[in-house]
Each structure stands twice: as structure tokens, then as C-alpha cells.
Amino acid sequence: MINVLNNQHNCRKNQLGRPIMFEEGDDEFIYFKNYKNTKRIPIAIYADFECILTPKKPNEYIQSCEKKTHVTHLHEIMSYGFYVKVNYDIIPKELVKQFKIPRKVIIYRGENAAKKFMENMINIGNNIKTLYETNTPMNK
């Protein structure tokens, strides 16, 4: 109870936070001014997870109360999706097909989602490594 009162006291002396939004007349898009400093990469993987929040058991909560941060719930991964974005200006489609790099969105929902995700990433990573080690003739 004392922690709740301390928290309320600390919160009252601070102003409420407000996200900074675009001002009137600003573009509606985020953009980079120094894009010339960026480097092109041939392959990027975009991934997202969905989790179930599972409450921790009271015994586990009490044991972790010595820390300032209290874990009250666990994130259990229930599904994931990922997309392998390939820059076909750098890597030909034939090589992507040859090395079995997925070209569509992959979605998985089920048991052991975290393990399945890591297996997929290791498999794709190994295929990409092999692709990078492949010498192909330069186009004229």
C-alpha cells in the first residue's frame, strides 16, 4: 500500500505526458533527411508476434518482489508472422528460388511458436549464407 501512495505522490508532481504529433502543415509521413547515408541491403526479414498474457502464480510473484520491477504476467508466444524482403535489383529471383528463401508471408499459430520461429530463422539464415557464398557471373 505504501508503494501505491508513493507512486501517486510522485505522479501528481509531474505534468501529464503528451505524444508529440505532427504540427499543422507538416507532412503526414515520417521521412529521412540524410538518406544518402543509408546502405542498401539485399535481404531484410520483418517479423511480428502475438502473445497471450498469462498471470504469474502468487508464489512466484512474492519471490520476485525483492526487485523494483515486478513481473505479474508472462508473455507466451502463440503465433508469429514474417516476411523476407528481397531486393531483386541486387539478388536475382532465380537465386532466391534456388536457395528456397520464402517469397510470401509465413504465418504460424500453434504450440511451440517461439521454437518454430527460431527453427525457421536458422533455416532461412543458413540458406541466405549459402546464397551469399555463391559466385554468379556478372551481367553485361
Side-chain angles (χ1 to χ4, degrees):
M1 183 66 171
I2 293 172
N3 287 338
V4 172
L5 294 174
N6 286 340
N7 189 34
Q8 288 176 347
H9 173 74
N10 289 335
C11 287
R12 285 190 186 122
K13 66 182 178 182
N14 296 320
Q15 292 183 358
L16 292 176
R18 179 176 87 75
I20 299 171
M21 304 302 287
F22 291 109
E23 298 295 326
E24 187 68 35
D26 279 351
D27 289 340
E28 295 178 358
F29 301 99
I30 296 174
Y31 56 91
F32 298 98
K33 292 180 182 177
N34 294 323
Y35 62 89
K36 64 182 176 282
N37 296 335
T38 62
K39 302 227 183 258
R40 291 187 152 232
I41 57 171
I43 299 175
I45 300 176
Y46 300 94
D48 185 33
F49 296 90
E50 298 301 326
C51 297
I52 297 174
L53 285 175
T54 308
K56 284 186 76 173
K57 296 176 183 168
N59 293 347
E60 293 172 346
Y61 177 74
I62 290 169
Q63 290 173 358
S64 68
C65 282
E66 296 173 8
K67 302 175 186 173
K68 292 187 178 188
T69 302
H70 304 293
V71 177
T72 59
H73 290 77
L74 299 174
H75 284 77
E76 292 185 28
I77 298 173
M78 61 174 256
S79 66
Y80 65 84
F82 69 86
Y83 176 68
V84 181
K85 174 71 172 130
V86 178
N87 184 338
Y88 292 115
D89 293 336
I90 299 173
I91 298 177
K93 284 185 182 180
E94 297 79 33
L95 284 178
V96 174
K97 288 180 187 177
Q98 178 184 342
F99 290 97
K100 299 178 183 165
I101 296 171
R103 290 166 289 152
K104 295 183 179 180
V105 174
I106 305 294
I107 297 174
Y108 176 83
R109 175 184 281 165
E111 292 189 27
N112 299 319
K115 181 179 179 183
K116 293 273 189 188
F117 176 78
M118 289 309 300
E119 288 170 354
N120 271 310
M121 291 299 109
I122 290 168
N123 183 31
I124 293 168
N126 288 334
N127 291 347
I128 291 170
K129 178 182 181 283
T130 306
L131 182 147
Y132 281 166
E133 292 170 347
T134 302
N135 290 324
T136 56
M138 294 175 56
N139 296 336
K140 292 182 179 182

